[in-house]
Amino acid sequence: MTAEPGLLRRLDRTGVPIVLARVALGALFIYTGIEKAVNPVDFLKMIHQYHMVPEQPPILLNSMAAVLPWLEIICGLMLIAGVALRGTALLLLVMLVGFTGAVALRAINIYNAQDIAFCAIKFNCGCGTGEEWICESPGR
Amino acid sequence: MSVVKKTLAEFVAITVLGTALSLGANAISHRGVKLERNYFPRGQGAASQPATQIVAQPGTAPAQPLGPGGEFAAEVEAIYNEGLQPILHGDVVAAFEDPLHEMGAHVFVDARDDHSYALGHIPGAYQLDHYLLDKYIDRVLPVCQQAVKIVIYCNGGDCEDSRFAAHDLLERGIDPAKVFVYPGGITQWCENDLPVERGVRGSGDIVPGSRVGGAQ
């Protein structure tokens, strides 16, 4: 005798939540990708400000600025289309872990250099959403 | 094939194909990044003058000593280290007010992007966005060839675009002796409430700098 599955499990089995999540995440990546792809030189300036990739040879930074925005758009489209989902998700995960590490490192560098409260740190991460506080906006 | 193997295979395939597609898209896009171009030129190495030395300009003395401890010390040192010459605020104002400016012998070059330039630039400054060089260089280069003094600025402080634009000019044969980088930039200009021009060059829409407020 099997127990009646819970509501969440039954909802999950319809396949609707995963589709919604895929479409939402895919749309987010397409949006942030387009924000950068329309002006890749601005994106190049922002990743240069991280000082984590050597300036020489120039092709290192340049190809990051050229590829990353479009790769986000492509991955976003594939998430929505449902093609090679696991591989796409893994690639996005790898990129996100990289971006998160870079943002955290940069915040720590600013913290060490400027002697200000950690949550007072704010910079344009180049993520496509403009200038952001490193944590929640301080005291507001 | 196990799920793990299949996922990894997909990951590799998407990474390779996606990178190729991305490079293709970048190549087609007229705003694409030029892969071989050095967007962050640093010049030919250290300047002939040490950072502690005061730059002697014919007929004028710097308003303040340049170098360690002075105004914008770190920026001044960086400018020297790239083989360029700094010019401090007092001398920038003098160059601006000099009749030679009116005659086109003193030229101001704004190294910021379209948006920042339109919000407010030093009146009469030519725009030279280093990152979109092809768009501006043909207009600016002849003007600089005729000039006796060229003052290049960006937002001021740690912005590097004025230095990059200076290297663009030097690489195209402009005499290094007449190229000066203004480390205070538009921010210091506006803080001193000097006039700024809004919109395009020669728009005549001149307002006090305090109304624009510098770095945007």
Side-chain angles (χ1 to χ4, degrees), chain A:
Chain A
M1 182 178 148
T2 53
E4 179 75 5
L7 179 64
L8 280 178
R9 185 149 297 184
R10 274 182 286 149
L11 189 63
D12 189 41
R13 279 182 189 164
T14 63
V16 173
I18 185 80
V19 171
L20 288 179
R22 266 170 41 203
V23 170
L25 196 62
L28 178 71
F29 276 104
I30 291 170
Y31 170 76
T32 55
I34 288 174
E35 282 284 302
K36 287 172 272 200
V38 292
N39 220 332
V41 171
D42 280 348
F43 180 55
L44 173 69
K45 282 194 249 184
M46 285 172 197
I47 55 177
H48 173 248
Q49 285 171 358
Y50 279 78
H51 300 294
M52 286 172 200
V53 179
E55 283 183 5
Q56 298 295 336
I59 198 164
L60 287 180
L61 267 174
N62 293 354
S63 37
M64 278 180 73
V67 168
L68 286 178
W70 291 103
L71 206 53
E72 282 185 29
I73 296 173
I74 292 168
C75 286
L77 289 172
M78 291 184 67
L79 272 190
I80 291 178
V83 183
L85 272 180
R86 287 175 192 272
T88 305
L90 180 59
L91 177 54
L92 285 174
L93 182 69
V94 168
M95 289 201 286
L96 278 179
V97 167
F99 298 157
T100 308
V103 169
L105 256 179
R106 181 163 166 202
I108 291 167
N109 287 342
I110 293 175
Y111 179 69
N112 288 334
Q114 293 190 359
D115 194 28
I116 53 175
F118 193 72
C119 286
I121 293 172
K122 183 172 86 159
F123 57 83
N124 187 338
C125 58
C127 318
T129 50
E131 200 168 59
E132 303 276 7
W133 298 98
I134 194 68
C135 28
E136 291 295 309
S137 51
R140 288 187 306 151

Side-chain angles (χ1 to χ4, degrees), chain A residues 38 40-41 44-45 48 55-56 58-59 61-63 65-67 70-71 74 78 84 86-88 90-91 94, chain B residues 3 7-8 10-11 14-15 18-19 21-23 25-26 31-40 42 131 160:
Chain A
V38 292
V41 171
L44 173 69
K45 282 194 249 184
H48 173 248
E55 283 183 5
Q56 298 295 336
I59 198 164
L61 267 174
N62 293 354
S63 37
V67 168
W70 291 103
L71 206 53
I74 292 168
M78 291 184 67
R86 287 175 192 272
T88 305
L90 180 59
L91 177 54
V94 168
Chain B
V3 175
T7 304
L8 285 176
E10 283 175 1
F11 169 77
I14 299 163
T15 307
T19 303
L21 271 175
S22 302
L23 288 172
N26 177 71
R31 288 175 166 175
V33 172
K34 293 186 177 120
L35 293 181
E36 300 292 338
R37 184 180 163 198
N38 182 8
Y39 284 90
F40 310 104
R42 298 290 174 195
Y131 301 96
E160 298 177 301

Side-chain angles (χ1 to χ4, degrees), chain B residues 160-210:
Chain B
E160 298 177 301
D161 295 342
S162 50
R163 273 135 63 185
F164 298 147
H167 289 304
D168 292 331
L169 292 179
L170 300 195
E171 282 166 15
R172 284 159 185 78
I174 300 294
D175 180 2
K178 62 185 190 183
V179 175
F180 294 86
V181 176
Y182 174 23
I186 196 75
T187 303
Q188 194 181 20
W189 183 266
C190 289
E191 278 168 7
N192 285 276
D193 207 15
L194 288 154
V196 294
E197 180 177 59
R198 296 191 293 199
V200 297
R201 183 177 181 276
S203 68
D205 183 8
I206 309 252
V207 296
S210 55

